[in-house]
Amino acid sequence: MLIVMLGAVFMALLDSTIVNVATPTIRTDLGTTGSALQLIVSGYTIAYATLLVTGARLGARNGFRTMFLFGLITFTLASLACGLAPGTTTLIGARVVQGVGAATMMPQIYSLIQLNFAGAARARALSLYAAVIGLGVVIGQVAGGLLVSADLFGTGWRPVFLINVPVGVVLVFAGLRLLPQGKPPKPKGLDIAGLLTLTASLLLLVVPLVMGHEQNWPLWMRISLVASLPAFLLFALVERAVARRGGAPLVPGRVLKTPGLMSGASANFFAMAGYAGFLFAFSQHMQSGLGESATRTGLTFAPLAIGVATGSLTWQKVPERLHRPMIATACVAAAAGYLAIGFDMRSGGHGGIALPALQLVVGIGMGYITSPLLTVALAQVKPADAADASGVMTTAAQIAQVLGVAAYGSVYLGAADGRPAGPSAHAIFVTALLVTGGALLSALAALRLPPTVPPVHRVP
């Protein structure tokens, strides 16, 4: 069961980055404009980020297994449509549908783990989940470069999407056989007003963040960003009104008050924003600043992926009473790694032998952050609230990645300004300084986590 779910996670995360290295080939083959090319890349992310909470609620209403399989089938069919797309419009539409499938599928995984695993087994499951998240983002860049370079049967960029089809078919049949049957005992209403206001709020925020730099921040994007603030306020008011009427708000207040949930989500937000933003900026520095190929750039991240996997799979050996300080210490270690990489790359070179070691430090730090954060943040969530809690955690992590790429990416691109290695080296140094600050904010949020071991009360 866990293999099926993690396979789906890997596919969804792979598609958030694998297409990046295929864009030059897509542009040549389909004759796309720059704006259309950006929609091909970002259409998936926009749909995915804005519909995650909706996907979580649909799972709570219709059954986690049902919605997981529906999302997986949608994602697989959309991947086929992407791979066979005859033109730009079809490809953009298929990418959006891919994002819808991923947003329907991904929140169910948190819920299925929460409901079907307990104690040490749940911690191991969440550790593997976090490891797959860390690996999927990195491996996407490597796999994209290898598939495009191979040009299988003269298909160019198309295997980047078609590779999902056989994997998706196998996972669907395995899921039908292995995933537990049944619906939640008390299906929740859809909260249409909440869904509409939250989706609109997220679109107002995410669309300009994803497309702003490429479009040179036109007026409508700046207005959209400002409008997202009152839109989120309206969403909060709508949810409060739904709760007063005795309905089922999309994000119940009691879920947000669960000990550790918001602190864990905040710590994970800052950590994932820095991780995604630094990956983007460093990839740009390697390719645009240093002239490396996409494949070699992807392989450069191998120590980072090894570190994430190592940390995710070994943190449970630390005594439970030390988990909270362990997470904060890992945030500080990751911050030190980012900072050292910035100084190492500042001269404009390739970083030498120190770079893999520093990436390993960052990776291990991230492994000791994300996996235990999921376990601690979800530890006190009631089974009935698993779907809503998973929606909060998944959406926070995804929005963090969007914001991280947009914010840190804009800093890097603005400082580098498309010029050769010197300005690019300065830009990656500045970006590393800011990412370091974000990792330290993650450490502060982690210190607010509740103790993982209840205090011992003396019996009189």
Side-chain angles (χ1 to χ4, degrees), residues 181-201:
Q181 297 275 1
K183 288 187 177 182
K186 294 181 179 180
K188 298 181 179 180
L190 273 182
D191 182 16
I192 299 298
L195 288 175
L196 292 176
T197 51
L198 178 60
T199 301
S201 303

Side-chain angles (χ1 to χ4, degrees), residues 176-224:
L176 287 169
R177 184 181 180 89
L178 298 173
L179 293 177
Q181 297 275 1
K183 288 187 177 182
K186 294 181 179 180
K188 298 181 179 180
L190 273 182
D191 182 16
I192 299 298
L195 288 175
L196 292 176
T197 51
L198 178 60
T199 301
S201 303
L202 289 170
L203 282 172
L204 289 170
L205 175 66
V206 171
V207 171
L209 287 176
V210 170
M211 303 180 64
H213 187 273
E214 181 74 18
Q215 300 293 327
N216 200 26
W217 295 101
L219 179 61
W220 71 267
M221 286 191 181
R222 285 176 279 171
I223 293 174
S224 176

Side-chain angles (χ1 to χ4, degrees), residues 77 79 120 159 208 239 305 309 321 326 330 341 349 358 363 365 371 376 398 411 438:
L77 292 175
S79 297
E239 293 295 272
R321 69 181 184 278
M326 175 194 73
I341 290 174
L358 294 174
S371 292
V376 174
Q398 185 60 32
V411 168

Side-chain angles (χ1 to χ4, degrees), residues 79-84 155 157-167:
S79 297
L80 179 63
C82 287
L84 301 178
T155 53
W157 52 271
R158 297 181 186 274
V160 165
F161 301 109
L162 293 176
I163 193 174
N164 292 328
V165 178
V167 177

Side-chain angles (χ1 to χ4, degrees), residues 215-270:
Q215 300 293 327
N216 200 26
W217 295 101
L219 179 61
W220 71 267
M221 286 191 181
R222 285 176 279 171
I223 293 174
S224 176
L225 275 178
V226 173
S228 69
L229 296 176
F232 279 113
L233 177 60
L234 176 62
F235 167 68
L237 294 175
V238 167
E239 293 295 272
R240 187 173 297 179
V242 171
R244 280 200 302 266
R245 293 197 302 268
L250 199 60
V251 184
R254 69 176 183 278
V255 174
L256 298 180
K257 293 176 183 177
T258 302
L261 183 66
M262 291 308 296
S263 297
S266 299
N268 199 31
F269 179 91
F270 290 118

Side-chain angles (χ1 to χ4, degrees), residues 39-375:
L39 285 173
I40 292 170
V41 174
S42 61
Y44 175 86
T45 304
I46 292 170
Y48 181 28
T50 54
L51 295 176
L52 278 166
V53 174
T54 303
R57 176 50 58 89
L58 289 173
R61 179 180 174 83
N62 301 313
F64 305 125
R65 176 183 186 271
T66 299
M67 296 312 301
F68 173 84
L69 291 172
F70 175 81
L72 180 57
I73 292 169
T74 302
F75 182 90
T76 303
L77 292 175
S79 297
L80 179 63
C82 287
L84 301 178
T88 302
T89 303
T90 304
L91 183 54
I92 292 172
R95 283 286 285 171
V96 172
V97 176
Q98 256 194 329
V100 173
T104 308
M105 172 176 67
M106 287 288 282
Q108 319 314 329
I109 296 168
Y110 267 136
S111 300
L112 287 167
I113 290 175
Q114 284 288 97
L115 296 176
N116 292 282
F117 295 84
R122 178 187 292 174
R124 285 194 296 270
L126 289 173
S127 295
L128 289 168
Y129 179 84
V132 169
I133 289 176
L135 291 171
V137 175
V138 177
I139 291 175
Q141 302 198 60
V142 182
L146 293 174
L147 287 172
V148 173
S149 300
D151 192 19
L152 299 172
F153 308 108
T155 53
W157 52 271
R158 297 181 186 274
V160 165
F161 301 109
L162 293 176
I163 193 174
N164 292 328
V165 178
V167 177
V169 170
V170 170
L171 291 176
V172 167
F173 281 103
L176 287 169
R177 184 181 180 89
L178 298 173
L179 293 177
Q181 297 275 1
K183 288 187 177 182
K186 294 181 179 180
K188 298 181 179 180
L190 273 182
D191 182 16
I192 299 298
L195 288 175
L196 292 176
T197 51
L198 178 60
T199 301
S201 303
L202 289 170
L203 282 172
L204 289 170
L205 175 66
V206 171
V207 171
L209 287 176
V210 170
M211 303 180 64
H213 187 273
E214 181 74 18
Q215 300 293 327
N216 200 26
W217 295 101
L219 179 61
W220 71 267
M221 286 191 181
R222 285 176 279 171
I223 293 174
S224 176
L225 275 178
V226 173
S228 69
L229 296 176
F232 279 113
L233 177 60
L234 176 62
F235 167 68
L237 294 175
V238 167
E239 293 295 272
R240 187 173 297 179
V242 171
R244 280 200 302 266
R245 293 197 302 268
L250 199 60
V251 184
R254 69 176 183 278
V255 174
L256 298 180
K257 293 176 183 177
T258 302
L261 183 66
M262 291 308 296
S263 297
S266 299
N268 199 31
F269 179 91
F270 290 118
M272 289 304 297
Y275 180 65
F278 191 78
L279 279 177
F280 173 81
F282 196 82
S283 177
Q284 294 296 313
H285 172 62
M286 292 293 292
Q287 293 181 79
S288 301
L290 301 179
E292 297 289 357
S293 67
T295 303
R296 182 166 180 178
T297 298
L299 292 173
T300 302
F301 292 116
L304 187 65
I306 292 171
V308 171
T310 301
S312 297
L313 299 176
T314 59
W315 68 269
Q316 294 176 70
K317 298 182 183 299
V318 177
E320 190 175 4
R321 69 181 184 278
L322 300 178
H323 284 176
R324 181 172 55 171
M326 175 194 73
I327 295 170
T329 302
C331 292
V332 174
Y338 288 130
L339 185 61
I341 290 174
F343 276 104
D344 192 42
M345 304 299 290
R346 193 178 187 184
S347 63
H350 288 68
I353 195 172
L355 181 60
L358 294 174
Q359 284 190 319
L360 191 64
V361 170
V362 172
I364 292 175
M366 287 300 298
Y368 274 81
I369 295 168
T370 53
S371 292
L373 268 179
L374 292 177
T375 303

